[in-house]
Amino acid sequence: MNAITIVIASICILLIVYRLYGTFMAAKVLRLNDSKPTPAQKLEDGRDYVPTNKWVVFGHHFAAIAAAGPLVGPILAAQFGYLPGLIWLLVGAVIGGAVHDMVVLFASMRRDGKSLSEVAKEELGPVAGFCTGLAMLFIITITMAGLSMVVLGALERNPWGTFAVGITIPIAMGVGLYHKKTGNLKIATIVGFALIMIAIILGPNIQGTWLGDLLTLEKSTLALILPIYAFFAAALPVWLLLAPRDYLSTFMKIGVFAALIIGVFIVNPDVQFPAFTEFLNGGGPVIAGPVWPFISITIACGAISGFHAFVGSGTTPKMVNRWSDIKGVAFGAMLVECLVAIMALIAAVSLQPGDYFAINSSPEKFATLGMETVHLDELSKEVGMDLEGRTGGAVTLAVGMTYIFAAVPIFEKLASYFYQFVILFEAVFILTAIDSGTRVARYLIQDFFGDFIKPLKRTDSIGANIVASALACFVWGYLLFSGDISSVWALFGVSNQLMASIGLIVGATVVLKIAEKRWYMLTCLIPLAYLFVTVMVAGYWMVKNVYWNAANPGYNVLNGILSIIMLTLGIVIMVTSIAKWIKLWKIPQDVLVKNSEQEVA
């Protein structure tokens, strides 16, 4: 098997699906009607509700949903072989992710761009709404810990990478200040991107100096620094750090993956992994559990992700100018993210299995596998650092992409620069998600707990913002400091896919109420049935075998408690929803459709 075959076949499948299934969802299931005003048109305020060109909305939506998940999940799941991950990415994105993103965006727009918890409250009742809001609070917190864990493995004992990533903070703030003062985005962009590239080029010079020694950090130190950074990022004005960092990182993401696709077509690397490995039944050094349910937990973004519901019921529904734009913005962006994830998978499985497992396992675990490294020593020498035991997925992606790029003759001497650039690319994108996610967590804390502590509700209060930001950072910082990639990523995966299940529950309810044919509800119920069972089995497995198993290295009572709480919330929401569906099913469909139209008139 070679990489070009996988890329071409995947692109063809995704294009056909977009043309056929996407059109069916838009025209038949959701019956998108451009004669009706969108929330952006009805509630236009020039600030949040702004009718926006569909390509601009697509760019915003894609940048927001495609964070670290499609980069890391497929790499960790390569433990099972290249085929399980590839099948789940294609099937999950087509049947689950694209439908989920489309119905969540539609459901939010139908309720004037409200958040998913508010939509759940109005569609399913107050109990489901309360549980959804609480689940969202847990999930966004765990998401921050899962994403941050990836950064630790990339920057541990890597002064060059730490310098390049760290310097982007003052660069982004400088860009934000300059743009705020002058309004000249073009110069700010050119200078900001140029400074980032200079940081990459100058990076090797700090190694062996006092600055290099200062920036040679262990995981435990980085686990303290990241939450502190996130606190300031969440508390500072959005234009000063978060927005310019997001803006600059978008150029990197587009450029890097365009280059990777071109590189694959030039080099056409062979897939070194077998279709299935010996770890299908569990016991792997990267993910402890069996291929099912953990292939669908490990790979979330790229196939189906509940994190997308935060975006699809957040900023995006307030920007869509026409109802028909939903297809391209939601369904289309999900399929593009699937392609990004497939490229990450290719980068991982292009490595020799022994090299892959040596990077993604602790030296002690790797010694028990009976494998030998092939090119790892050579790769370590080329990139200028020891690659063994750098778990988390980020290093594997950087090494895999460097392996492909360096195979191009004119780039063969630039391996170390490619490696550090990809590390920077990953870390900046992850930090952007941490910036945004921590701010969202702050909003959720203020909104949820503000009902009980009134002063906390005030988003214009500096004190309330500081307290909420500190609480958010402390909670996910504790999870980060006390966990490892196997336990935290699995916890993130379970919570994320539970959020996707909730999104499909809300979507199924809306489809039942507005569709001309009731069986169209199956577009949501089929992926929901699979995903909900998968989440419950994976959550139970992790609690029993890892979190509450004192003999397991991932033993963590708090993670077990969080898992039980989230699974319980999911069950309550599901039971409440089934009761609602039974009630709605008794109403004739034509009456139900008429009532639903009056409901949102």
Side-chain angles (χ1 to χ4, degrees):
M1 177 67 74
N2 58 57
I4 287 182
T5 303
I6 295 175
V7 173
I8 293 177
S10 298
I11 291 175
C12 290
I13 290 171
L14 296 176
L15 287 174
I16 293 170
V17 165
Y18 178 77
R19 178 66 181 87
L20 298 180
Y21 196 38
T23 302
F24 169 74
M25 288 295 301
K28 296 294 185 179
V29 179
L30 300 181
R31 298 191 297 157
L32 302 180
N33 183 358
D34 284 339
S35 66
K36 296 180 179 180
T38 64
Q41 295 168 339
K42 286 193 300 181
L43 304 173
E44 183 176 1
D45 59 9
R47 185 176 63 255
D48 297 318
Y49 291 85
V50 182
T52 307
N53 178 276
K54 65 180 180 180
W55 295 111
V56 176
V57 181
F58 174 89
H60 158 78
H61 187 78
F62 176 72
I65 65 172
L71 308 181
V72 175
I75 288 171
L76 299 179
Q79 168 192 277
F80 301 117
Y82 75 84
L83 196 55
L86 181 62
I87 292 174
W88 168 240
L89 281 168
L90 290 171
V91 175
V94 170
I95 304 299
V99 171
H100 168 273
D101 290 11
M102 197 171 183
V103 296
V104 167
L105 179 56
F106 175 81
S108 178
M109 288 177 62
R110 186 171 174 270
R111 295 288 182 177
D112 290 335
K114 292 180 180 177
S115 69
L116 191 63
S117 61
E118 291 297 313
V119 174
K121 186 184 299 181
E122 296 185 9
E123 299 289 357
L124 297 168
V127 174
F130 175 84
C131 291
T132 299
L134 189 57
M136 290 175 73
L137 186 58
F138 275 107
I139 290 164
I140 194 67
T141 302
I142 294 167
T143 298
M144 295 305 96
L147 296 179
S148 300
M149 184 64 70
V150 180
V151 180
L152 301 190
L155 299 185
E156 179 190 14
R157 302 188 306 277
N158 180 6
W160 184 359
T162 302
F163 169 75
V165 172
I167 202 69
T168 63
I169 296 174
I171 290 174
M173 294 178 73
V175 168
L177 285 168
Y178 181 82
H179 181 244
K180 180 77 171 178
K181 185 176 181 179
T182 67
N184 193 326
L185 183 60
K186 184 176 181 180
I187 293 179
T189 302
I190 294 172
V191 173
F193 193 74
L195 288 174
I196 290 174
M197 298 311 298
I198 290 172
I200 291 287
I201 295 171
L202 295 179
N205 297 320
I206 73 164
Q207 300 189 91
T209 67
W210 67 269
L211 181 58
D213 294 339
L214 182 66
L215 296 177
T216 303
L217 304 175
E218 298 297 326
K219 278 187 177 181
S220 57
T221 305
L222 289 165
L224 293 174
I225 291 174
L226 284 177
I228 293 172
Y229 156 76
F231 167 76
F232 287 103
L236 287 171
V238 68
W239 58 264
L240 182 58
L241 178 57
L242 190 149
R245 176 187 280 279
D246 190 11
Y247 175 72
L248 290 174
S249 67
T250 299
F251 287 96
M252 286 192 215
K253 187 159 199 175
I254 294 171
V256 167
F257 273 95
L260 180 58
I261 291 174
I262 294 171
V264 166
F265 275 91
I266 294 175
V267 177
N268 189 19
D270 290 328
V271 173
Q272 303 295 336
F273 268 57
F276 305 100
T277 69
E278 61 192 273
F279 303 115
L280 287 179
N281 295 320
V286 183
I287 301 296
V291 65
W292 187 84
F294 285 95
I295 191 70
S296 302
I297 296 300
T298 305
I299 300 179
C301 300
I304 180 171
S305 169
F307 185 70
H308 296 188
F310 290 98
V311 181
S313 64
T315 52
T316 303
K318 301 175 180 65
M319 299 167 65
V320 176
N321 189 37
R322 298 188 307 168
W323 288 93
S324 58
D325 291 348
I326 290 176
K327 175 188 172 185
V329 170
F331 202 95
M334 181 64 243
L335 298 186
V336 174
E337 187 183 24
C338 175
L339 182 60
V340 169
I342 289 171
M343 296 309 299
L345 178 65
I346 288 173
V349 299
S350 296
L351 297 173
Q352 292 289 339
D355 296 341
Y356 166 89
F357 284 107
I359 296 171
N360 281 283
S361 313
S362 67
E364 296 77 19
K365 283 185 179 179
F366 182 71
T368 66
L369 299 180
M371 295 183 179
E372 296 291 334
T373 60
V374 180
H375 302 302
L376 190 64
D377 292 340
E378 179 185 343
L379 289 169
S380 296
K381 184 177 180 180
E382 287 179 354
V383 303
M385 62 184 300
D386 180 20
L387 297 174
E388 288 188 60
R390 291 184 174 270
T391 60
V395 169
T396 306
L397 176 61
V399 172
M401 292 176 69
T402 300
Y403 181 75
I404 293 172
F405 289 146
V408 180
I410 62 174
F411 295 144
E412 58 185 3
K413 301 297 184 182
L414 299 176
S416 61
Y417 286 96
F418 278 124
Y419 174 82
Q420 293 297 350
F421 181 77
V422 176
I423 289 292
L424 171 67
F425 151 74
E426 293 178 283
V428 168
F429 237 87
I430 294 168
L431 289 177
T432 300
I434 293 170
D435 292 346
S436 303
T438 303
R439 189 174 287 267
V440 170
R442 189 195 95 194
Y443 293 153
L444 289 172
I445 287 172
Q446 290 182 271
D447 188 45
F448 190 83
F449 291 106
D451 291 334
F452 308 100
I453 308 172
K454 297 301 180 183
L456 194 61
K457 193 91 169 178
R458 293 183 53 193
T459 55
D460 60 341
S461 167
I462 296 177
N465 292 347
I466 289 176
V467 170
S469 298
L471 180 59
C473 293
F474 174 78
V475 175
W476 71 254
Y478 175 79
L479 292 175
L480 175 66
F481 189 81
S482 62
D484 58 28
I485 188 62
S486 297
S487 61
V488 173
W489 192 264
L491 182 64
F492 159 65
V494 169
S495 64
N496 190 48
Q497 300 303 56
L498 176 61
M499 189 72 236
S501 298
I502 295 171
L504 287 170
I505 287 172
V506 173
T509 307
V510 172
V511 170
L512 175 60
K513 294 170 73 173
I514 61 102
E516 291 181 342
K517 298 179 181 180
R518 292 188 172 183
W519 70 265
Y520 288 166
M521 191 181 178
L522 291 174
T523 57
C524 293
L525 290 184
I526 290 174
L528 171 60
Y530 171 80
L531 200 61
F532 192 79
V533 172
T534 298
V535 166
M536 292 297 150
V537 172
Y540 171 77
W541 193 97
M542 288 300 297
V543 171
K544 178 184 176 183
N545 296 289
V546 179
Y547 301 141
W548 288 357
N549 179 5
N552 192 288
Y555 174 73
N556 189 307
V557 174
L558 177 60
N559 285 0
I561 293 172
L562 290 175
S563 298
I564 294 296
I565 291 173
M566 288 189 301
L567 296 179
T568 302
L569 288 172
I571 292 171
V572 171
I573 295 169
M574 177 61 82
V575 171
T576 305
S577 303
I578 292 174
K580 181 71 173 182
W581 296 339
I582 293 173
K583 183 179 179 180
L584 293 174
W585 201 270
K586 295 177 181 178
I587 303 173
Q589 190 64 21
D590 57 338
V591 176
L592 191 59
V593 171
K594 184 178 179 180
N595 291 344
S596 69
E597 291 175 350
Q598 294 175 347
E599 197 175 69
V600 296

